[in-house]
Amino acid sequence: MEFRGFRAVDGVNLNVQRGDIHALIGPNGAGKTTCFNLITKFLSPTRGQVFLEGRDVTRTRPADIARAGLVRSFQISAVFEDLTVRQNVCVALQSKMRRVYSMLRSDAGMHDLMVRADELLELVGLSDYRHEKARFLSYGRKRALELATTLAMDPSVMLLDEPMAGMSPQDVRRVTELITRLRAGRTILMVEHNLSVVAEISDSITVLARGQVLAEGSYEEVSANKDVQTAYIGAGYD
């Protein structure tokens, strides 16, 4: 991916295996979020292709990518602050089903949505907050709500962009356990700066530096790599 001659992603060949938790790490400016934007079609590559389960999706629209089962979260908390927790999940469910947004109506169709929304909220530990407006949730619970809305799209592949950013140690532990539970039957690719979390739950790791792949492998393999150690000197990561 080039921006006015600057090559932000350079020859990255990223293979994520079905069922893995795969971490994408690297110093600031390494190209991690640009890779996410390329995979989810928020950017179109200058050169190269993106494949989802063997199908070329390089020119597919972001909304169609999501409906095909590849769904992402973002670095910044992205919830509808003035809707309730349950309504946030209902919006995502309606998007998946291409239904008209009618969350404030009371009908049989909405009942089915709310039942499914409540199932997802129980899965992420937010059942007790379903009638609360999202703006009143703690930051960690907002991130859990984002995971619920991501799950509402019934993804086979989840891309999580810095899911632990800005969290307290207690919230980090809660969301780490949640991601571990959610992996069943899914593939997860995540950008994460908290290397203790990466070490704990990742099956595979790709390290980027200056837009290129610096190393790949298990946490033990990449952490022992001299080039990786050099790239992280002064980066200030945990």
Side-chain angles (χ1 to χ4, degrees):
M1 186 71 219
E2 293 181 358
F3 300 99
R4 297 183 178 180
F6 171 70
R7 193 167 292 180
V9 174
D10 184 6
V12 170
N13 186 11
L14 180 65
N15 291 286
V16 180
Q17 300 301 312
R18 188 191 306 271
D20 274 4
I21 295 180
H22 192 121
L24 189 61
I25 67 172
N28 289 331
K32 304 181 296 295
T33 296
T34 301
C35 279
F36 260 37
N37 287 335
L38 290 168
I39 293 168
T40 53
K41 308 316 304 154
F42 285 83
L43 289 173
S44 293
T46 309
R47 286 177 297 279
Q49 294 171 286
V50 180
F51 291 88
L52 175 61
E53 297 182 339
R55 181 166 64 95
D56 188 345
V57 294
T58 309
R59 304 302 170 194
T60 304
R61 297 183 308 161
D64 292 330
I65 285 281
R67 292 190 180 101
L70 193 154
V71 183
R72 72 174 290 179
S73 69
F74 293 85
Q75 290 180 11
I76 300 171
S77 179
V79 299
F80 294 109
E81 298 275 353
D82 290 323
L83 298 183
T84 68
V85 169
R86 177 196 269 171
Q87 286 172 340
N88 267 273
V89 181
C90 283
V91 168
L93 288 168
Q94 289 177 323
S95 176
K96 172 66 176 177
M97 295 184 292
R98 298 176 182 260
R99 290 181 53 170
V100 175
Y101 294 108
S102 55
M103 75 195 73
L104 301 180
R105 283 181 10 202
S106 177
D107 59 24
M110 281 306 299
H111 174 74
D112 292 341
L113 283 178
M114 288 189 288
V115 168
R116 178 55 180 155
D118 287 347
E119 291 173 352
L120 292 172
L121 291 174
E122 182 175 2
L123 183 62
V124 301
L126 291 177
S127 291
D128 292 343
Y129 300 89
R130 61 183 179 274
H131 300 304
E132 191 85 46
K133 284 196 173 182
R135 70 168 59 253
F136 298 120
L137 295 178
S138 69
Y139 184 75
R141 290 194 173 98
K142 282 183 180 179
R143 299 300 274 187
L145 176 56
E146 288 175 349
L147 288 174
T149 58
T150 301
L151 290 170
M153 298 297 292
D154 193 24
S156 57
V157 184
M158 296 175 64
L159 276 67
L160 307 180
D161 199 354
E162 298 191 30
M164 310 300 168
M167 287 190 182
S168 67
Q170 294 83 359
D171 283 335
V172 166
R173 170 48 45 195
R174 184 183 301 118
V175 174
T176 299
E177 293 172 353
L178 176 57
I179 291 172
T180 302
R181 292 204 309 273
L182 297 182
R183 72 176 301 174
R186 298 182 180 89
T187 303
I188 296 175
L189 174 64
M190 68 175 186
V191 169
E192 182 51 56
H193 285 311
N194 189 321
L195 296 184
S196 62
V197 171
V198 171
E200 180 179 350
I201 68 175
S202 296
D203 299 299
S204 303
I205 298 169
T206 298
V207 185
L208 293 184
R210 299 185 181 89
Q212 298 181 323
V213 173
L214 188 62
E216 288 187 308
S218 67
Y219 182 81
E220 291 75 16
E221 290 169 333
V222 300
S223 62
N225 185 295
K226 297 299 184 183
D227 291 333
V228 173
Q229 294 171 7
T230 299
Y232 270 89
I233 289 175
Y237 297 146
D238 294 336

